[in-house]
Amino acid sequence: MAVFKNFTSTRTAPVPDGEAPRTATGQAVLPRRSQIKSILPQRGSARVSPPVTDRTAPSAATTSWFQLKQKMHENLLEQMNLSIIDQVDTAELRREVNAIVLQNLEDEDVSLGSDTFNRLINELMDEVLGLGPLEPLLADPTISDILVNGADHVFVERKGLLERIASGFHDEKHLLRIIDKIVSRVGRRIDESQPWVDARLPDGSRVNAIVRPCAIDGPSLSIRKFSADKLTMDKLVAFGALSEEAAIFLAAAVKARLNILISGGTGSGKTTMLNALSSHIDRHQRIVTIEDAAELQLQQDHVVRLETRPANAEGRGEISQRLLVRNALRMRPDRIVIGECRGSEAFDMLQAMNTGHDGSMTTIHANTARDALSRLEQMVIMMGSELPMSAVRSQIGAGIHLVIQLNRLADGRRRITSISEVTGLEGEAVLMQDIFAFTRKGIGEDGTVLGHFGPTGVRPQTGDVLAAAGYALPADIFRDAEGPN
């Protein structure tokens, strides 16, 4: 089929996004061939034709809509030179897509209304330039997580609660193509030999994907979105995640360069809290961040971001967090920030905290502050060293100053449940005391968890350290005066 047959040479004025070019008489026309050839491939280019889907088409017409979109998408991919598509202006590319689709609809003798045509163009643009059915979900500010359990099951999280939505994926191949598009952008791969991968989107959103044979029911994709509106400590206080007094204490702790461990379960807000705390770091200090998949969004100018690398197909070339921590120590850092401690790098992190890199921070998966310290012990043991447990606990007692525990409550809200101080060792036991804590009071009629977050009445031993650093805090901040939260 000749895609560009019967095109008119009538010059057209620029048109708004989503509208087809038209002649002076109002008839839809195609642009000149010279406007299109810049993205056409050479003859004999390989044809790529993944399926395309629709998220909003009426159920009675779903099959025909899928087929139409798939055919239009196949034709676009057949005619476009995808290797230079990123060099074409989006508005110009949209006009060219409009023209090609109009010609194909004419050849197929298909008539579409203006709204339907615009929807078709929008979804084809998402497929060509973006992540297809994921694009509207990524653009929705109310969605914090996108969970794809196979091509037919898509869930999103809004305000801490999960809900199922209509799947926008046509089949497993379509989902696999989107996953491959995500991971290839950051130089990673996913296939049967490496069936899972951690990656990130350009905006910093965290991505995890796993495919067959490990994913029995088909590819699974999890996206933890990062809000474009950065959450500061003031905003966390306004949302009720912690009290104003606790925010003042934490700000002073970061400025005074206390070492902080942020603990919590999956989706409890650990990375958000780490980003918020980092805003109090002096902008003149050199910060080195180390992550499996880069997602921290520090606001300082002097930041060096390091990211791990998985092994290649031959099992070589892996760069672990531990190797990066060791390298970071040679980079003259003022502070080291590890996105998440999950293995033997915990030992090197403790070493750094005990050898002059004060003010370092990291996160860890644990249900309580006490469990967080136990997990640190286990990670050091996993390293395979023969260090006695007393030496490990001594490192923890001397290196960690504060443990911030976060939890996702039953009503979906994320909040700090305790801020604990590590006070040292007694025998072989690491001692801790809660400075601030959340006390649950019950469940409201609307399902909201009721409770009070405030000081426990214990004055922290680190108060002298804060005062010496010029951040003396009034005693009222730590006075136990329970009130409404």
Side-chain angles (χ1 to χ4, degrees), residues 203-216:
D203 66 355
S205 296
R206 182 194 312 172
V207 179
N208 177 270
I210 185 167
V211 300
R212 299 181 191 273
C214 291
I216 298 174

Side-chain angles (χ1 to χ4, degrees), residues 439-460:
T439 304
R440 301 192 186 200
K441 300 294 186 180
I443 303 293
E445 294 182 357
D446 58 353
T448 302
V449 176
L450 304 178
H452 168 68
F453 181 88
T456 60
V458 176
R459 188 173 180 85

Side-chain angles (χ1 to χ4, degrees), residues 169-248:
F169 297 97
H170 184 53
D171 57 17
E172 188 170 313
K173 289 182 179 179
H174 186 199
L175 176 54
L176 282 171
R177 184 174 64 81
I178 296 299
I179 292 175
D180 184 68
K181 197 171 186 178
I182 293 173
V183 301
S184 62
R185 286 177 175 176
V186 292
R188 302 198 175 188
R189 64 182 181 85
I190 186 168
D191 50 39
E192 290 185 359
S193 63
Q194 179 60 56
W196 64 82
V197 67
D198 287 318
R200 66 181 185 276
L201 299 180
D203 66 355
S205 296
R206 182 194 312 172
V207 179
N208 177 270
I210 185 167
V211 300
R212 299 181 191 273
C214 291
I216 298 174
D217 298 321
S220 176
L221 178 66
S222 305
I223 300 178
R224 173 70 51 78
K225 287 176 55 180
F226 270 12
S227 173
D229 184 17
K230 305 294 188 300
L231 288 179
T232 63
M233 293 298 288
D234 290 339
K235 291 181 179 179
L236 291 174
V237 171
F239 293 155
L242 74 165
S243 66
E244 184 175 355
E245 293 79 9
I248 293 172

Side-chain angles (χ1 to χ4, degrees), residues 231-288:
L231 288 179
T232 63
M233 293 298 288
D234 290 339
K235 291 181 179 179
L236 291 174
V237 171
F239 293 155
L242 74 165
S243 66
E244 184 175 355
E245 293 79 9
I248 293 172
F249 173 65
L250 290 179
V254 173
K255 293 175 181 177
R257 303 188 64 166
L258 300 186
N259 295 323
I260 298 176
L261 179 64
I262 302 173
S263 169
T266 300
S268 59
K270 299 185 296 298
T271 303
T272 297
M273 177 57 63
L274 184 54
N275 278 323
L277 288 176
S278 69
S279 65
H280 297 294
I281 297 177
D282 191 326
R283 293 185 176 273
H284 296 93
Q285 295 178 358
R286 178 176 172 84
I287 309 167
V288 178

Side-chain angles (χ1 to χ4, degrees), residues 1 47 70-79 104:
M1 180 176 64
R47 175 170 178 156
Q70 179 174 345
K71 192 168 190 64
M72 294 300 105
H73 192 206
E74 288 176 353
N75 290 334
L76 282 174
L77 294 180
E78 186 178 52
Q79 298 171 66
N104 278 275

Side-chain angles (χ1 to χ4, degrees), residues 136-147 155-163 201 203-207 222-228 231 267-269 272 295 408 412-414:
L137 305 181
L138 293 169
D140 188 340
T142 67
I143 295 176
S144 57
D145 285 83
I146 303 170
L147 308 172
F155 296 82
V156 298
E157 180 184 288
R158 287 187 175 95
K159 298 181 179 179
L161 301 177
L162 290 175
E163 61 180 85
L201 299 180
D203 66 355
S205 296
R206 182 194 312 172
V207 179
S222 305
I223 300 178
R224 173 70 51 78
K225 287 176 55 180
F226 270 12
S227 173
L231 288 179
S268 59
T272 297
E295 55 183 326
R408 185 201 295 244
R413 291 190 301 165
R414 302 174 177 90

